[in-house]
């Protein structure tokens, strides 16, 4: 399976690329968002700010949304999960709106939430082989507030928020699987299986 | 359950090679930071810090090569600091494979650097490194590897750096550093209480109990240590076992 990672022009895509390769995927990193429009599987990585990421995607926005809605598997990581929603308190402007709901700033505790937190999942294939409660690495100031039942894992940080969501082969995780040791690598492998339709 | 307390081994790197005799049994390439980072990852480290100790221009290239090699096999966060002078340095370091960069002297010189980096890359990858030395009832900020007194108060500078976009503080006590007599608990706690971002305590770790103390009494979110791990006295797993027995929340690799 070839997985295409979009490079918004900021940050480190190394680990996510290596993590996906270990999961058996062939990885292509593209900086031109038009290259997403023939991708077999898309990963929205988790670095940068909402506005900057959406600016990078804006040139192809309606086409990209249509393309993914047709059933292209995609994984959003951290900020990449957030851009799958309609809007964010972080920056003005629209998101991809692949999921209904918005993104809001965390209310309590040290912000950013930075470090390892418990992820309690509910047996979704994305967490196949991962204990019901496992720790993953988070580095976020914002969390997603989805409308409808899309969350497949929850985490607490001052408030309870969905740390993983899934709608068919569209997945989002608020933590960084590529920075979460063996559990994270397993999750990437599970995603690749979901994308291949072999989960 | 709150976030787990993080244990962070720190590697001093010069011209892309680890300095300070790091000794592991059964490990051939003791000078190779990527091999050491992978070893610490296996021991259960929650994060790794590389500190570039000579930070020349040519040194930066070799550092980036080492960072890139390390990132190939590291699936926990990597912070790289030392000699980061500009926005471009930050961009290059992240591109090489670092997840966060720590900025010290350049941020004191031009605090807007923190804002520019945090706007572009997110505050989670902007770490303000502060070297603090006691002066009477407070602590003064030093730059250029502790050689230059700035006149800045550590608490005030911590707050300002966070307002300007730093997402984490790497706080080193110059008084404690190298003594192996324990972290500066008073300093750590004063900074933790003054800011709303995570604080990594550094300097002075000589034994496991020092880590316990700084994460409990000192309220630090993370403890950075070098020699206690490098000389094979203790593994990260040893530290975590004791922390767990004291009721300190730690990450356990369950896979």
């Amino acid at each position: 399976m070839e997985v295409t990672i979009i490079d918004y022009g900021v940050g480190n895509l190394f680990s996510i690329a290596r993590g996906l390769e270990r999961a058996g995927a062939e990885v292509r990193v593209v900086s031109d968002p038009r290259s997403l429009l023939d991708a077999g599987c898309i990963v929205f990585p988790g670095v940068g700010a909402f506005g900057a990421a959406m600016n990078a995607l804006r040139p192809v926005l309606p086409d990209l949304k249509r393309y993914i809605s047709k059933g292209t598997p995609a994984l959003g990581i951290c900020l990449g999960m957030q851009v799958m929603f309609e809007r964010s308190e972080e920056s003005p402007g629209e998101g991809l709106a692949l999921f209904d709901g918005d993104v809001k700033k965390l209310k309590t505790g040290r912000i950013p939430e930075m470090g390892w937190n418990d992820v309690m999942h509910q047996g979704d294939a994305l967490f196949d082989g991962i204990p019901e409660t496992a720790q993953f690495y988070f580095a976020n100031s914002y969390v997603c507030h989805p409308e409808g039942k899309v969350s497949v894992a929850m985490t607490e940080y001052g408030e309870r928020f969905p740390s993983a969501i899934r709608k068919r082969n569209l997945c989002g995780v608020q933590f960084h699987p590529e920075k979460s040791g063996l559990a994270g690598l397993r999750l990437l492998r599970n995603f690749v299986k979901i994308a291949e339709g072999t989960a | 359950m709150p976030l787990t307390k993080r244990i962070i081994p720190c590697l001093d790197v010069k011209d892309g090679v680890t300095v300070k005799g790091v000794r592991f049994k059964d490990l051939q390439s003791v000078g190779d930071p990527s091999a050491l980072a992978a070893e610490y990852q296996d021991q259960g480290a929650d994060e790794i810090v590389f500190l570039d100790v000579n930070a020349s221009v040519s040194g930066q290239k070799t550092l980036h090569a080492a960072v890139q090699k390390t990132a190939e096999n590291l699936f926990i966060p990597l912070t790289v600091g030392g000699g980061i002078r500009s926005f471009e340095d930050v961009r290059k370091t992240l591109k090489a494979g670092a997840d966060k960069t720590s900025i010290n002297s350049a941020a004191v010189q031009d605090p807007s650097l923190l804002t520019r980096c945090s706007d572009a890359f997110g505050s989670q990858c902007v770490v303000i490194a502060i070297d603090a030395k006691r002066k009477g009832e407070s602590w003064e900020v030093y730059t250029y590897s502790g050689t230059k007194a700035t006149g800045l108060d550590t608490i005030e500078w911590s707050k300002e750096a966070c307002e300007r976009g730093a997402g984490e503080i790497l706080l080193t006590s110059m008084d404690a550093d190298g003594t192996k007599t324990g972290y500066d608990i008073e300093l750590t706690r004063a900074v933790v209480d003054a800011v709303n971002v995570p604080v990594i305590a550094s300097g002075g770790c000589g034994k496991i109990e020092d880590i316990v103390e700084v994460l409990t009494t000192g309220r630090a979110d993370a403890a950075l240590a070098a020699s206690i791990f490098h000389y094979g006295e203790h593994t990260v797993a040893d530290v975590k076992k004791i922390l767990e027995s004291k009721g300190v929340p730690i990450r356990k690799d369950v896979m």
Side-chain angles (χ1 to χ4, degrees), chain B residues 31-76:
Chain B
D32 178 359
S34 66
L36 291 169
E39 164 70 21
Y40 284 133
Q41 168 173 254
D42 291 347
Q43 287 183 10
D46 298 306
E47 205 165 316
I48 302 287
V49 167
F50 279 3
L51 189 64
D52 187 15
V53 291
N54 75 326
S56 62
V57 174
S58 65
Q60 216 176 46
K61 269 191 189 148
T62 49
L63 174 74
H64 289 161
V67 168
Q68 192 161 341
K69 191 173 169 203
T70 304
E72 292 275 350
N73 291 304
L74 199 68
F75 296 101
I76 55 174

Side-chain angles (χ1 to χ4, degrees), chain A residues 12 110-111 116 135 179 181, chain B residues 75 99 192 196-197 251-252:
Chain A
N12 161 20
R110 291 185 178 267
I111 294 171
W116 302 77
Q135 292 153 332
K179 291 285 143 196
Chain B
F75 296 101
D99 299 289
V192 168
N196 196 35
V197 302
R251 171 178 78 104
K252 286 185 268 189

Side-chain angles (χ1 to χ4, degrees), chain A residues 31-96:
Chain A
S31 46
D32 182 348
R34 280 171 297 186
S35 308
L36 295 177
L37 298 177
D38 64 357
C41 174
I42 300 174
V43 168
F44 296 100
V47 281
F50 187 91
M54 285 312 301
N55 281 343
L57 297 174
R58 185 145 300 122
V60 295
L61 204 46
D63 293 340
L64 180 60
K65 206 186 148 175
R66 207 173 309 125
Y67 183 68
I68 295 174
S69 302
K70 278 195 306 195
T72 309
L75 170 68
I77 295 171
C78 192
L79 170 73
M81 169 186 183
Q82 297 171 6
V83 298
M84 292 175 142
F85 283 79
E86 295 171 84
R87 67 195 80 80
S88 169
E89 281 180 2
E90 187 179 9
S91 325
E94 56 181 333
L96 286 167

Side-chain angles (χ1 to χ4, degrees), chain A residues 7 9-15 18-19 22 46-49 52 109-118 129-131 133-135 137-141 156-157 177-183 185-186, chain B residues 1-4 6 41 45-47 68 71-78 91 94-100 119-124 167-168 192-193 195-199 221 250-255:
Chain A
D7 181 359
V10 292
N12 161 20
L13 302 180
F14 232 84
S15 312
R18 292 299 90 77
R22 283 205 181 188
V47 281
R110 291 185 178 267
I111 294 171
E113 171 189 25
M114 185 124 58
W116 302 77
N117 205 345
D118 283 347
I130 298 170
T133 299
Q135 292 153 332
Y137 183 79
F138 289 80
N140 61 302
S141 303
E156 276 188 48
Y157 192 71
E178 77 282 17
K179 291 285 143 196
S180 295
L182 297 174
L185 292 172
R186 179 61 195 256
Chain B
M1 189 81 162
L3 289 187
T4 62
R6 285 171 282 154
Q41 168 173 254
D46 298 306
E47 205 165 316
Q68 192 161 341
E72 292 275 350
N73 291 304
L74 199 68
F75 296 101
I76 55 174
L78 172 66
R91 198 188 62 79
L94 295 174
K95 202 171 170 65
D99 299 289
K100 315 182 200 179
D119 285 348
F121 311 118
S123 65
Q124 83 291 338
E168 190 165 33
V192 168
D193 288 345
V195 299
N196 196 35
V197 302
V199 175
D221 299 281
I250 47 124
R251 171 178 78 104
K252 286 185 268 189
D253 224 332
V254 288
M255 301 290 291

